[in-house]
Each structure stands twice: as C-alpha cells, then as structure tokens.
Amino acid sequence: MTWRTCMTETQRGSHGDEQGLEALYGWLERAGAHHPKLRVIRLPGGERGVFTLADVAQGEVVLRVPRECLLTTGLARSSEIGRLLESHLEAESDELYLAAFLLQEKQREGSFWRPYLETLPASVPHSLLFLEERELQLLQGSAVLEELEARREMLHTQHALLRAHIPGWASLTATEFLWACVVVSSRNFGVKLRGNPVRCLAPLADMLNHKTSPDVHWGLSEDEESFEMVALKALPAGQEIHDSYGAKSNHRFLLHYGFVLEDNEHDELVVHLGIPEGDPWSATKQRLLELSSPSERRRFQSRLPYGHESTQEMFSFLRIACAEAEELSRLSVTPGASGGQVEPLSIANEERVLAALGAACEARLSGFDTSLEEDERLLAEEPSSRSVRNCILMRREEKRLLHAYAERVRTGARLLRKPWPELEQLAAGGGTGGGPLDDYAREGVLKAVRNDPWNRLERAARQGHHFGSVALGPRSKSKGPGR
C-alpha cells in the first residue's frame, strides 16, 4: 500500500457537523445498534457531549453497539497491517495495533469504518504531545514532563520502525502517527472477551465526557455480542450524560486525555527516593530493596490516603532505606522480595522517614517557577486558552498535594515527640484531633510508638513482666519522645 497524507481528509470530515453525525447514526443503526434517546451536541468552546433526548430510567440500556461495529485489538491484529506488524516488528502493544489499523482504514477506499473515522476529531491540540514549547514551559517542575518524555521516546521509536519496516509506510509523518496514537489512547475501552482482556474502540460510546461520579456503566453484553451502556440512575431529557474514565491521577488524565481535574481524590504525589548518601548499611539495603545500585532513586506515585497500597509501598521503602542496623535486624518482611508492608519500626526510624519525605517534597516544590499562590491568581484571571489553563491547573494541583504531604510530615513529627501514654489517650478518645491526616496519625505514628523497643519494655514492666538484667534507664535522646 502506498502511503498518502490523511490529514486533509481527516480535517474535512472530523468537525462533528450534523451530516457526519447522521451518517454515523445511520451506519450504527443499519448494523443493529440501539441508541434512540442519545444525540451528540456541540458544547460551548467547540467540544462535543452526548445528551439525552428523552427521560431515561435507572437500569435502562441507553446504548448498544454490535460487535460488528467494535474495533477490537483482535480485529486489528488479524488485519493486513496487523499481520505486517507481527511479522516485521513482532509488535506487542495493543494500542499500536489499533492506531495502525485506524491509519490503514483512512487510506482504504470504501472502508467499512468510514462513517466512524469521519467523526473522529480532526486534531488533538490539547494533548501534551502537540503542545507548543511555550506552553510546555508552563509545566516547569511538574513530574508529568518526565512521563511525557518517556512517551515521546517510545512513540518516536515506534514511528521510525513503521516507516523503516512496513512496506508503503515510509512517508508516514510523525503528526499523522501521533494523531492516531492519541485518538486510541484517549478513546479505547478495556473489556473481557471470552475471559481475555481486550481493548476496543466503541463508536458513539467514546464521545461521552468524563465525570468522577458517572451516569452510566459499560461493558460487553452477557452474550458478548454487543457493547452496552446502562444508566446508573434516572436521567431527565436534555441532560448531558457522562462516563468515568477511571480512578486516574492528573498526570494520566493530562497525558492521555488532555484535561486536568480540580481536587482529584485519585491524584498522586510523585517523588524519587533512595538510600541516604554514605549510609554504612547501603549494601544490605540495596539487596533488601532490590535496587540496581546504592545510589539508585526509585520513582514513587503515591496517593494521600495512608492506607492506599501506593502510599504503603512508599513508606515501607523509606523505613528500610532509613533504618539502622538494629532496626534492619527486626524486619519480618521486605517490600522488594515479598511486596509485604513494612510497619513502623521505631520512633527514631519514623522520624527519619518523615524527614526524608519532607526533604523530597521540598525539593519538588523548589523546582517550580511559581508559587501555589501565584497559580491561584493566574487561574482566577482566566487563562488565554484551555491548554494554558491545563498546564497551570496541573502544577497547582501538584503543589497542593506536595503541601498536604509536607503538612503530614510536620504533624507526624510533632506527634512522635509526645509521650506514648498521651498518644494512647488520644487514640482511645477517637483519634488525634481529626482531619485528613488522621489516618497516618493512627496507623503510622501510633504504631511507631507502640513498636518502639523502649516503649515495649516500659509497657511490659508496668504490667509486671521481667526481662532479666535489662535496665529501663533514661531513654537516649535519639530514641524519641519523653523530652
């Protein structure tokens, strides 16, 4: 196949005009699709949304797309371009197969998928991959730039391989390839077909916008012959209906979908942590943490709730990285070898953990060109474009999370200096004062105090137990509370 530029063709048919949408509706209905109460409407600002034409009952199927109209990874792999990718590149990426299939079908005269292709967006200007350098400069200090660079490198490699090894694709431009990749990345659904995970593009379903509390849930029908969206609640006529794109961080939303959420409860702190420089037990810690070298710094993406798996993983890593010899000897599990949670080892260890985490947060904050207050002001002044707003909002939300973690460090450090009986009284009274950091105060600080060897001996002595010649003299100042 000889490659022809497809951007003009894409732009001509992708503005979401009524003619293109009516062709999509007709194509779907001829194949047996069901969506009598849904229509796509252009929103202020040029975006599209899916709205109800009539009242919808809870549990009602609002959209049914037959298998014939689902563009699945299996279909893409079995196509002409799919076979070429497998034989020439031994490609594994599902998204690459789907993107290449889109590009192939855009070239194919009389493609079955033409009505769907004609309604895909002409361009994706809000994707990080297409932002201008002056816009990317607004993200200075943001961890998303690291992810963007990795994604750019991967896609550049894939594009070069396609041009070099797929017959007829030597003239494929980077813009065309990136367009297809962004379309697939932002619109595909993950379903299970005959028990196997499958990625697919579902026409019309992929036009719903995101909301954290969605109006519908989706998946394959029981007989797996169609993709269905079912109303989670009653919906009045004339309302936009929303899907959920999943519990994702703002990094993922901006990188793959081109938007950022305010107050995203699933947002993640990104920090790089490692063994302290010059640590005398670095070799042991390197082995326990499965690092390639004592100087390696591991990247963590952790949510604010202390009980979340990602947060537990970060704290477990730090407790080993900051441990002294006696603390290392008392480890029952290690996060590297078993994936197990390392509970607080001692008061002094937890203080070192908090100090390391606080330093990492301060280092991240110092990398930004603006303060949190400046970002708040810029957002209040209504940025000049959606892309500019996305960048400012992204860095503001990162700073908010960094400040929240810094407050956790300060609160934890204060509580660790309290005598353990006082902390126990606070716990018995229902917490340590309330607030969003209370989960760490209970599960981190209190366990550090309870697990501290000195406090264990003191509690045992008060309960009448004896430990031979062990003396319960004054506590070393390095051991924590009581001062």
Side-chain angles (χ1 to χ4, degrees):
M1 177 178 69
T2 302
W3 186 261
R4 312 188 303 276
T5 180
C6 66
M7 290 309 291
T8 302
E9 191 173 80
T10 304
Q11 291 165 353
R12 184 175 64 246
S14 297
H15 291 287
D17 55 29
E18 285 301 315
Q19 185 177 3
L21 288 170
E22 288 301 325
L24 175 68
Y25 302 147
W27 175 72
L28 286 170
E29 288 162 9
R30 287 191 296 274
H34 172 84
H35 57 93
K37 296 183 179 180
L38 300 185
R39 280 298 182 271
V40 179
I41 295 176
R42 182 72 63 177
L43 300 170
E47 302 299 319
R48 294 182 294 196
V50 179
F51 285 74
T52 55
L53 295 176
D55 291 347
V56 172
Q58 181 178 358
E60 183 176 347
V61 176
V62 295
L63 174 63
R64 181 179 294 115
V65 180
R67 276 272 299 277
E68 178 185 354
C69 296
L70 297 180
L71 204 171
T72 65
T73 48
L75 174 67
R77 285 175 179 271
S78 64
S79 69
E80 176 187 355
I81 184 59
R83 293 191 297 272
L84 287 171
L85 286 174
E86 187 172 5
S87 61
H88 290 273
L89 301 182
E90 298 182 354
E92 294 296 331
S93 168
D94 286 345
E95 291 193 4
L96 177 58
Y97 278 96
L98 289 171
F101 185 85
L102 284 183
L103 293 168
Q104 170 190 266
E105 293 306 301
K106 289 189 72 64
Q107 300 297 303
R108 194 184 298 280
E109 296 292 340
S111 170
F112 169 75
W113 301 94
R114 181 63 55 188
Y116 173 56
L117 297 172
E118 293 290 340
T119 57
L120 291 175
S123 60
V124 281
H126 306 305
S127 167
L128 285 184
L129 292 167
F130 286 95
L131 291 195
E132 297 179 5
E133 191 59 36
R134 63 178 178 82
E135 294 170 321
L136 289 177
Q137 283 295 324
L138 297 172
L139 289 169
Q140 179 66 37
S142 171
V144 77
L145 291 179
E146 180 184 349
E147 298 178 44
L148 173 62
E149 186 56 35
R151 182 162 172 76
R152 274 179 168 172
E153 185 176 338
M154 178 192 72
L155 295 177
H156 174 77
T157 299
Q158 290 178 346
H159 176 234
L161 289 172
L162 284 173
R163 294 185 63 191
H165 298 287
I166 302 301
W169 286 48
S171 60
L172 171 66
T173 69
T175 299
E176 290 162 336
F177 177 65
L178 292 177
W179 171 85
C181 291
V182 171
V183 166
V184 169
S185 175
S186 62
R187 303 174 87 86
N188 78 85
F189 294 86
V191 297
K192 280 200 171 182
L193 184 60
R194 292 187 287 275
N196 299 313
V198 171
R199 291 283 165 185
C200 74
L201 297 175
L204 190 55
D206 61 4
M207 292 188 185
L208 271 70
N209 291 316
H210 169 81
K211 190 167 68 173
T212 303
S213 300
D215 301 310
V216 297
H217 68 83
W218 49 262
L220 293 184
S221 59
E222 189 173 343
D223 62 6
E224 299 187 342
E225 288 303 313
S226 62
F227 179 95
E228 294 182 342
M229 283 187 157
V230 180
L232 289 168
K233 54 191 174 185
L235 302 169
Q239 176 176 306
E240 182 179 5
I241 64 172
H242 295 85
D243 175 22
S244 170
Y245 297 175
K248 295 178 172 65
S249 68
N250 277 335
H251 298 85
R252 292 184 64 188
F253 279 134
L254 184 55
L255 189 60
H256 296 284
Y257 300 93
F259 67 83
V260 178
L261 296 181
E262 295 192 58
D263 302 315
N264 182 0
E265 64 180 295
H266 305 296
D267 213 359
E268 295 172 334
L269 170 82
V270 178
V271 287
H272 292 79
L273 303 169
I275 301 169
E277 187 176 353
D279 192 297
W281 304 285
S282 59
T284 300
K285 293 178 181 179
Q286 177 189 342
R287 175 178 56 80
L288 291 173
L289 297 171
E290 297 183 350
L291 299 174
S292 60
S293 71
S295 61
E296 179 191 346
R297 300 187 68 77
R298 183 168 294 170
R299 188 177 193 270
F300 287 92
Q301 296 180 213
S302 302
R303 296 188 183 176
L304 186 58
Y306 179 71
H308 193 271
E309 180 181 357
S310 63
T311 312
Q312 291 291 312
E313 180 184 357
M314 179 179 69
F315 271 85
S316 294
F317 178 94
L318 280 172
R319 284 167 186 145
I320 292 178
C322 298
E324 294 186 349
E326 188 274 334
E327 293 160 344
L328 289 171
S329 70
R330 291 190 285 109
L331 286 174
S332 57
V333 295
T334 61
S338 66
Q341 174 186 337
V342 177
E343 292 196 344
L345 298 172
S346 69
I347 295 168
N349 178 263
E350 201 69 9
E351 287 180 325
R352 293 191 294 271
V353 164
L354 292 176
L357 182 55
C361 290
E362 290 300 326
R364 281 288 323 280
L365 286 167
S366 68
F368 291 100
D369 291 335
T370 57
S371 67
L372 177 59
E373 293 72 24
E374 288 175 295
D375 290 345
E376 298 281 11
R377 178 180 56 78
L378 290 169
L379 288 169
E381 293 173 356
E382 297 187 5
S384 58
S385 71
R386 173 177 158 182
S387 293
V388 170
R389 183 180 187 279
N390 278 341
C391 291
I392 299 174
L393 185 57
M394 179 73 222
R395 71 193 192 201
R396 185 196 74 174
E397 294 301 300
E398 284 184 271
K399 291 170 191 173
R400 280 183 170 181
L401 192 53
L402 286 162
H403 281 293
Y405 258 97
E407 179 60 27
R408 165 173 287 174
V409 166
R410 289 189 291 270
T411 300
R414 269 197 316 271
L415 291 172
L416 282 168
R417 293 185 176 91
K418 289 183 178 292
W420 71 262
E422 184 177 338
L423 284 178
E424 294 289 0
Q425 288 176 354
L426 286 170
T432 53
L437 304 183
D438 218 22
D439 56 346
Y440 172 66
R442 289 191 307 270
E443 299 300 318
V445 172
L446 282 172
K447 283 188 177 180
V449 173
R450 288 167 178 167
N451 291 348
D452 190 87
W454 195 95
N455 280 337
R456 284 183 173 179
L457 291 174
E458 185 173 351
R459 282 201 303 273
R462 291 187 180 193
Q463 294 166 5
H465 298 293
H466 300 282
F467 292 86
S469 60
V470 174
L472 293 177
R475 183 189 319 227
S476 164
K477 286 188 178 180
S478 64
K479 288 293 184 180
R483 47 183 189 270

